[in-house]
């Protein structure tokens, strides 16, 4: 029965407070926000893990690296740069190793690779085809002795320190040498003490010939100078063990 009261004609029609279209829009916005939140969380977690790795990898996958006449087989976690982690013919490969363990990066030793305050824990190497007939030991007499200046002085652990002429290209550096029974003399060049405020992983460098035609240039902190000859033997043995006959 129809209501004929005077107010009935002006009574508003009863409708839902939220229309279906509005509900759909709100739901879509909520879903979108939830999706964006999940994506941001995932991206943040991925970025955080990538930042923690800082280019390192714990993978032990082996790659065959061909340099000149030599064939190296190296695990991914000792190869320093991601772009070099591939089986390929290259001019050079950069690797890094813990000291004294000579190990690559792993989840267990990640702190050693990220601690800038402990440079004595890492040694950095560049392996390339040799462009000189003599390595650093062989250059002692024909080249380095010509730039030594003044009387030699005692260095750490039986090494002899040689200052260099200020007019030479080795100004600001010193050389350390030592005789070795049955081997060429040990020779390493380092930044002169006082030329930098803190010790780094590149204070000293030495290069050696290994394999058929490889030169291995390696760098380490001056804190490791007392172990210099031990490092030299270990580096040579490590590279030789990675050369494929």
């Amino acid at each position: 029965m129809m209501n004929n009261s005077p107010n009935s004609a002006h009574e508003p029609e009863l409708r839902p407070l939220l229309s279906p279209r509005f509900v759909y829009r709100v739901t879509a916005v909520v879903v979108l926000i939830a999706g964006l939140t999940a994506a941001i969380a995932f991206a943040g977690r991925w970025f955080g893990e990538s930042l923690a790795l800082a280019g390192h990898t714990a993978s032990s996958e082996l790659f065959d690296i061909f340099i000149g006449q030599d064939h190296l087989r190296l695990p991914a976690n000792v190869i320093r740069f991601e772009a070099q982690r591939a089986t390929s013919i290259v001019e050079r490969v950069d690797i890094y190793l813990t000291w004294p363990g000579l190990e690559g990066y792993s989840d267990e030793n990640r702190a050693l690779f990220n601690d800038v305050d402990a440079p004595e824990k890492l040694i950095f190497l560049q392996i390339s085809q040799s462009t000189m007939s003599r390595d650093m030991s062989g250059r002692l007499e024909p080249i380095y002795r010509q730039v030594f200046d003044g009387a030699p002085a005692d260095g750490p652990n039986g090494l002899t320190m040689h200052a260099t002429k200020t007019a030479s290209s080795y100004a600001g550096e010193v050389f350390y040498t030592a005789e070795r029974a049955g081997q060429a003399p040990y020779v390493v060049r380092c930044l002169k003490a006082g030329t930098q405020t803190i010790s780094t992983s590149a204070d000293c460098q030495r290069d050696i010939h290994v394999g058929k035609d490889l030169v291995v240039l390696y760098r380490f902190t001056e804190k490791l100078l007392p172990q210099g000859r031990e490092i030299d033997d270990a580096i040579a043995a490590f590279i030789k063990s990675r050369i494929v006959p």
Side-chain angles (χ1 to χ4, degrees):
M1 181 175 179
M2 183 176 292
N3 184 357
N4 292 319
S5 66
N7 294 329
S8 63
H10 302 287
E11 186 175 350
E13 181 183 355
L14 293 177
R15 295 178 179 176
L17 294 177
L18 299 177
S19 69
R21 179 179 296 178
F22 181 75
V23 172
Y24 295 153
R25 289 179 177 176
V26 171
T27 302
V29 170
V30 171
V31 171
L32 178 60
I33 292 175
L36 287 174
T37 301
I40 291 171
F42 175 79
R45 185 164 57 251
W46 177 86
F47 181 75
E49 291 173 354
S50 297
L51 189 62
L53 285 173
H56 308 309
T57 179
S59 171
S60 58
E61 179 181 0
L62 294 174
F63 295 113
D64 291 299
I65 311 293
F66 299 88
I67 302 175
Q69 302 177 56
D70 292 276
H71 174 189
L72 293 165
R73 184 165 292 149
L74 299 169
N77 66 341
V78 306
I79 301 176
R80 187 178 175 191
F81 300 118
E82 183 178 0
Q84 295 180 344
R85 295 174 193 144
T87 292
S88 55
I89 300 173
V90 297
E91 294 182 355
R92 164 181 136 184
V93 64
D94 297 81
I95 71 175
Y96 47 9
L97 301 167
T98 61
W99 178 257
L102 296 186
E103 298 174 339
Y105 179 88
S106 68
D107 293 335
E108 292 74 24
N109 66 21
R110 68 169 59 188
L112 303 181
F113 287 80
N114 296 321
D115 188 357
V116 296
D117 295 323
E120 69 277 10
K121 300 299 183 181
L122 291 179
I123 300 175
F124 295 84
L125 300 83
Q126 294 176 357
I127 308 171
S128 58
Q129 187 173 13
S130 176
T131 58
M132 302 183 69
S133 60
R134 302 170 185 260
D135 60 13
M136 190 168 281
S137 292
R139 298 194 296 272
L140 174 60
E141 296 300 333
I143 299 177
Y144 299 143
R145 286 206 185 276
Q146 312 310 312
V147 300
F148 289 171
D149 188 36
D154 291 337
N157 196 24
L159 295 174
T160 300
M161 185 182 74
H162 306 269
T164 55
K165 297 176 181 177
T166 56
S168 74
S169 59
Y170 299 99
E173 299 180 8
V174 294
F175 282 79
Y176 292 91
T177 63
E179 295 298 322
R180 298 186 295 182
Q183 299 183 65
Y186 175 77
V187 182
V188 63
R189 53 189 285 203
C190 300
L191 292 175
K192 187 176 180 180
T195 57
Q196 55 185 15
T197 57
I198 59 174
S199 179
T200 72
S201 296
D203 296 340
C204 301
Q205 73 174 44
R206 171 168 163 77
D207 63 71
I208 58 175
H209 283 175
V210 182
K212 296 187 179 93
D213 195 26
L214 290 177
V215 60
V216 180
L217 185 151
Y218 65 90
R219 296 182 173 91
F220 59 93
T221 174
E222 65 178 351
K223 294 179 180 180
L224 291 177
L225 265 177
Q227 303 174 59
R229 283 161 287 184
E230 182 181 351
I231 291 172
D232 201 57
D233 293 338
I235 291 294
F238 178 89
I239 300 301
K240 288 175 181 177
S241 72
R242 268 64 183 181
I243 293 176
V244 179

